[in-house]
Amino acid sequence: MSNEEKNNNPKHYIFGYGSLICPHSRSITAPSLPKDAAHPVVIKHLQRTWTARTGAGWTAVGIHVCQDAECTGVLIEVDSHELAKFDIR
């Protein structure tokens, strides 16, 4: 692949935590992703937190920087189209 082709098709990665760890949940947003698209990772200095509660009764998971923390999740390579879907999610 030439440099021009690489620049026109950049790689995008998502660090997934919370529901994005679950293959079924990921497939709702991006059904074209292969089941083995996610690779387990641990990110240092990030901590999962419950960040928001809606009137509908669900709570969203977020992350914040915390020097002594580690956050377990998955690294997922996605294309530009899939990245846009995850942005909406």
Side-chain angles (χ1 to χ4, degrees):
M1 181 179 288
S2 71
N3 282 338
E4 184 177 334
E5 289 171 318
K6 287 180 186 178
N7 291 337
N8 290 333
N9 269 330
K11 290 185 177 185
H12 303 285
Y13 295 89
I14 295 173
F15 172 63
Y17 56 94
S19 63
L20 289 180
I21 292 173
C22 174
H24 175 72
S25 182
R26 284 193 309 271
S27 71
I28 293 169
T29 303
S32 62
L33 282 177
K35 296 279 188 227
D36 63 351
H39 304 281
V41 295
V42 176
I43 305 290
K44 293 183 182 210
H45 312 300
L46 292 181
Q47 182 175 32
R48 290 174 47 161
T49 61
W50 296 107
T51 58
R53 183 146 181 95
T54 70
W58 60 267
T59 306
V61 177
I63 56 172
H64 72 269
V65 176
C66 181
Q67 192 62 31
D68 298 325
E70 291 183 342
C71 185
T72 302
V74 292
L75 190 64
I76 309 160
E77 183 179 348
V78 296
D79 63 25
S80 296
H81 180 71
E82 292 161 336
L83 182 62
K85 289 180 179 181
F86 282 103
D87 282 344
I88 292 168
R89 180 180 173 159

